[in-house]
Amino acid sequence: MAPVVAKATPSESSESSDPVKHSREADDLARFLAGLPGKPGSPYADLEKSDVWQMHREEVDAAWNKADGELLQGLREFQSQELKAPPMGTGPVFYPFSGPDALVATEYFPNAPVYVFAALEPAGTLPAADEILKKEDMPEYLAAMRSTMASELGRSFFITRQMDKQFRGQVTDGLLLPILQLLVRSHYSVLGFRYVRLDANGNVIGRTLDYHATTRYGNKGVQIEFRSDAGQSVHQLYYFSANLADDRLTENKPFQAYVQGLKGATTMFKSTSYMLHHKEFSVIRNLVLDNSAAVLQDDSGIPYRMFDGSRWKVQLYGDYDHPYGSFKYMEQVDLREAYRQPGTKPLPMHVGYGYRKITSNLLLAQRIAPAVQADSRAQQ
């Protein structure tokens, strides 16, 4: 069956004229690290026969099987019931503060043509096969790789302090490898990738590994092309290493231009440490509110009060009383009151802070079309 290319947005089709070169190296390594048997011709075929890798596979399989029962089935149910309508069904997805969370993004929005991730962690590089094959500490290396997935599979989110320890050279040199592992475990095949950055106008261009930015922002990233094993649709995932705090993002005009080019996207937030509640993150908050067609988030995303009822149709899911644990001081009285009103829908899974300890919450805000807004005002 020929691949079905997911339809790109106008900005995406014009932003990057250089296609990703198809190559199997990323897919081969991702499958090896993710505990999946390699495809014919994999350079890791002999290593897969070792007791070390067989044990690795068993432990990774067990972690994913547990996550499937506790998290993934619920995500799929929620997606099928609530996230199929336009623009969520087929539009691009923007995921600030994402870390490497390709798992939840693709479960929520499996038909998105483009996923754009942004976070502080470096983009990372792909080790050569020879580098992996020559490792003398393979048991420790594979155990460390399992540890990078533990929080996502066990709690539905990556813990910031663990990412700081794991993805800055201690286990990997960035987020490329964990993203690739999550993709292949989510039943995708990686067709290829390239190292990218944003030019002065916010366009995606290729970069060399020794590229050094002349500004405080580099917007260095990776572009991954991948294909669904089931439907054969082809998708793009961009990850950019970017500081989204106002003191950096204000001067980062290329990234702002790039986000503004994502008009019509669905933005998602999950377990953001409530950064968007602080004035120091007003630029990214306003970019999302000004340019998104929809926003899906837990209570750590944009404060509830900022979704103006004349511009946004809001649906609440789950339950909310106050934030979990050390974030209790970030409670939203107006959100709690909104949850006490009729119309809230149940959630079929736990997700975010307080995973499986408290009832989770999600908010889906969909922008009201201008004609509908005008009609609503006329009736007032």
Side-chain angles (χ1 to χ4, degrees):
M1 180 185 294
V4 178
V5 180
K7 186 178 179 181
T9 62
S11 61
E12 171 60 22
S13 62
S14 61
E15 71 180 357
S16 175
S17 59
D18 296 328
V20 170
K21 180 180 178 181
H22 286 193
S23 174
R24 63 178 294 168
E25 287 87 350
D27 192 70
D28 284 337
L29 181 55
R31 294 180 68 85
F32 176 74
L33 297 178
L36 292 174
K39 297 175 181 177
S42 170
Y44 308 103
D46 288 339
L47 271 178
E48 290 174 12
K49 300 173 185 177
S50 68
D51 292 341
V52 170
W53 189 85
Q54 290 295 327
M55 183 196 72
H56 173 68
R57 178 183 179 182
E58 290 178 5
E59 294 201 17
V60 176
D61 282 349
W64 276 87
N65 288 338
K66 183 177 180 181
D68 188 63
E70 294 183 350
L71 173 64
L72 302 184
Q73 291 183 26
L75 291 176
R76 293 166 192 148
E77 180 181 343
F78 181 74
Q79 186 277 329
S80 67
Q81 294 175 353
E82 304 294 335
L83 302 179
K84 281 192 170 182
M88 291 90 68
T90 56
V93 170
F94 179 42
Y95 192 177
F97 311 103
S98 61
D101 187 19
L103 171 63
V104 175
T106 56
E107 290 289 358
Y108 276 153
F109 308 106
N111 298 314
V114 180
Y115 305 83
V116 178
F117 290 10
L120 278 175
E121 292 76 27
T125 59
L126 187 80
D130 285 347
E131 183 180 340
I132 302 298
L133 294 171
K134 293 178 180 178
K135 280 188 176 294
E136 297 180 356
D137 60 343
M138 187 61 70
E140 291 81 4
Y141 179 66
L142 293 177
M145 282 296 170
R146 293 194 297 274
S147 74
T148 65
M149 298 291 110
S151 177
E152 172 79 337
L153 297 180
R155 302 187 187 185
S156 80
F157 61 94
F158 286 89
I159 298 173
T160 302
R161 64 178 180 275
Q162 290 183 358
M163 287 196 292
D164 287 340
K165 294 178 180 178
Q166 295 171 337
F167 300 138
R168 296 182 182 274
Q170 296 87 337
V171 180
T172 75
D173 62 356
L175 300 191
L176 177 59
L177 286 187
I179 290 173
L180 293 175
Q181 291 177 71
L182 289 171
L183 287 175
V184 297
R185 269 286 174 173
S186 300
H187 308 293
Y188 294 98
S189 292
V190 178
L191 301 179
F193 81 103
R194 66 173 180 146
Y195 302 107
V196 298
R197 66 180 179 90
L198 298 179
D199 68 12
N201 296 315
N203 299 309
V204 178
I205 60 174
R207 66 174 170 92
T208 59
L209 284 178
D210 60 356
Y211 167 76
H212 292 286
T214 58
T215 59
R216 288 203 301 172
Y217 54 86
N219 295 321
K220 293 192 288 187
V222 290
Q223 176 187 357
I224 303 167
E225 186 169 308
F226 59 101
R227 180 178 61 214
S228 165
D229 293 339
Q232 300 296 297
S233 58
V234 176
H235 311 257
Q236 307 288 330
L237 189 154
Y238 295 86
Y239 172 79
F240 293 103
S241 178
N243 190 324
L244 301 180
D246 285 1
D247 63 340
R248 293 297 184 91
L249 189 54
T250 299
E251 66 186 59
N252 190 349
K253 302 302 183 183
F255 189 84
Q256 290 190 51
Y258 180 78
V259 174
Q260 289 165 353
L262 293 173
K263 283 187 180 297
T266 295
T267 299
M268 61 176 287
F269 296 109
K270 178 169 66 66
S271 306
T272 69
S273 298
Y274 295 85
M275 287 181 285
L276 291 143
H277 288 237
H278 299 286
K279 63 180 181 180
E280 294 84 2
F281 290 88
S282 62
V283 175
I284 186 63
R285 188 172 61 223
N286 291 335
L287 280 170
V288 169
L289 290 173
D290 290 344
N291 294 284
S292 300
V295 179
L296 178 66
Q297 63 173 44
D298 59 21
D299 65 294
S300 74
I302 295 173
Y304 173 73
R305 68 180 182 277
M306 294 186 176
F307 290 101
D308 183 343
S310 66
R311 299 175 60 200
W312 298 93
K313 177 185 177 183
V314 174
Q315 176 63 56
L316 301 176
Y317 303 89
D319 195 13
Y320 173 85
D321 185 71
H322 58 265
Y324 179 76
S326 60
F327 294 113
K328 286 183 178 180
Y329 70 100
M330 300 302 302
E331 70 175 313
Q332 301 177 69
V333 176
D334 54 351
L335 179 59
R336 182 167 58 231
E337 178 58 29
Y339 265 94
R340 302 298 176 261
Q341 305 305 312
T344 299
K345 295 184 179 182
L347 266 181
M349 75 287 186
H350 291 267
V351 66
Y353 296 135
Y355 182 77
R356 296 186 68 81
K357 295 181 179 178
I358 62 171
T359 303
S360 300
N361 66 83
L362 283 178
L363 175 155
L364 175 61
Q366 299 182 70
R367 186 179 299 278
I368 300 173
V372 176
Q373 294 182 39
D375 183 65
S376 175
R377 288 193 294 269
Q379 295 178 17
Q380 291 178 356

